[in-house]
């Protein structure tokens, strides 16, 4: 604490003028406690009636301590609720994802007719569990005229259907290119 701050602190605690506080602090080598005792000796501050000296700050200190305890408890509560809130949000997200994966259907079509429709959840399980069988079958199906699309009430369905249409068109182009080369060779 700088000397100026000590002068202000002494003035705050004792109610003496700035000049008196500065003079006494200089005489006491800027020791606030010694300066308070000197001010009492000079009669500028009355000594407390009790056995302790508080300079009128006991009520304020009690309130400060109560506030600090309340603040620490609030911070502790905030930290513990943050983890609980994060877990709750994660659970809600997983639940929403599961519901959407059941609502949205993956459809297999041939010549404009729907042959099969399964929830996206089943497709994901097949891709995860039987990747080396499922993915090649889907790709081979494109070359045999099968098309795929998604049915549901979600923007994701529109974007996924665009991808499926592009994949079908690409497979059709490759198949036509391959047939064209066979016709040229014959």
């Amino acid at each position: 604490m700088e000397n100026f701050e000590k002068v202000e602190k002494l003035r705050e605690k004792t109610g003496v003028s700035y000049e008196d506080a500065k003079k006494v602090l200089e005489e006491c080598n800027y020791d606030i406690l010694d300066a308070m005792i000197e001010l009492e000796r000079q009669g500028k501050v009355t000594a407390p009636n009790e056995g302790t000296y508080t300079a009128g700050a006991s009520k304020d200190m009690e309130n400060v301590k109560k506030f600090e305890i309340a603040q620490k408890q609030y911070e502790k509560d905030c930290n513990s609720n943050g983890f609980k809130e994060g877990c709750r949000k994660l659970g809600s997200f997983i639940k929403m994802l599961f519901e959407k994966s059941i609502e949205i259907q993956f459809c297999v079509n041939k010549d404009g007719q729907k042959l099969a429709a399964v929830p996206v959840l089943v497709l994901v399980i097949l891709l995860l569990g039987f990747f080396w069988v499922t993915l090649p079958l889907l790709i081979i199906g494109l070359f045999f005229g099968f098309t795929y699309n998604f049915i549901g009430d979600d923007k994701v369905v529109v974007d996924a259907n665009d991808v499926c249409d592009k994949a079908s068109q690409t497979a059709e182009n490759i198949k036509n290119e391959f047939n064209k080369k066979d016709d040229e060779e014959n």
Side-chain angles (χ1 to χ4, degrees):
M1 186 181 302
E2 292 185 30
N3 293 344
F4 174 75
E5 292 172 331
K6 289 180 180 180
V7 172
E8 289 297 318
K9 190 69 140 172
L10 184 62
R11 285 188 61 224
E12 178 185 311
K13 297 295 182 188
T14 61
V16 296
S17 69
Y18 180 83
E19 292 80 21
D20 288 338
K22 183 177 179 191
K23 181 181 173 191
V24 170
L25 277 168
E26 286 173 352
E27 291 171 3
C28 298
N29 293 327
Y30 288 92
D31 186 308
I32 293 178
L33 183 57
D34 289 343
M36 291 175 119
I37 293 170
E38 182 61 33
L39 286 171
E40 285 176 8
R41 256 189 251 139
Q42 294 175 3
K44 294 183 179 180
V45 176
T46 58
N49 295 334
E50 304 170 7
T52 60
Y53 187 78
T54 62
S58 64
K59 290 286 183 191
D60 291 337
M61 290 308 290
E62 288 177 24
N63 290 337
V64 168
K65 287 180 182 176
K66 287 179 183 176
F67 177 76
E68 288 174 351
I69 291 169
Q71 185 175 6
K72 286 179 184 176
Q73 183 63 40
Y74 173 75
E75 289 173 359
K76 181 181 174 185
D77 290 345
C78 286
N79 290 338
S80 65
N81 288 341
F83 180 73
K84 289 178 186 175
E85 183 67 22
C87 289
R88 190 179 60 74
K89 285 182 180 179
L90 179 63
S92 296
F93 176 75
I94 291 171
K95 179 183 175 191
M96 182 271 308
L97 197 60
F98 180 74
E99 289 172 352
K100 291 287 184 189
S101 71
I102 292 175
E103 289 175 8
I104 299 172
Q105 301 280 315
F106 176 74
C107 297
V108 179
N109 305 305
K110 174 83 171 168
D111 299 327
Q113 291 190 355
K114 181 168 50 170
L115 298 178
V118 295
V120 170
L121 180 62
V122 172
L123 176 65
V124 169
I125 291 170
L126 287 172
L127 284 171
L128 291 176
F130 305 101
F131 177 79
W132 298 108
V133 174
T134 307
L135 190 61
L137 284 176
L138 291 173
I139 293 171
I140 292 169
L142 288 171
F143 291 101
F144 284 100
F146 290 95
T147 58
Y148 311 112
N149 68 328
F150 294 89
I151 300 172
D153 299 328
D154 202 41
K155 183 191 179 311
V156 175
V157 170
V158 175
D159 294 340
N161 283 340
D162 289 342
V163 171
C164 289
D165 291 343
K166 288 178 184 176
S168 295
Q169 187 61 41
T170 302
E172 191 64 33
N173 290 344
I174 291 171
K175 188 169 75 174
N176 290 340
E177 190 71 31
F178 187 72
N179 287 339
K180 185 192 273 185
K181 285 183 181 180
D182 279 348
D183 290 341
E184 288 176 3
E185 289 178 4
N186 292 333

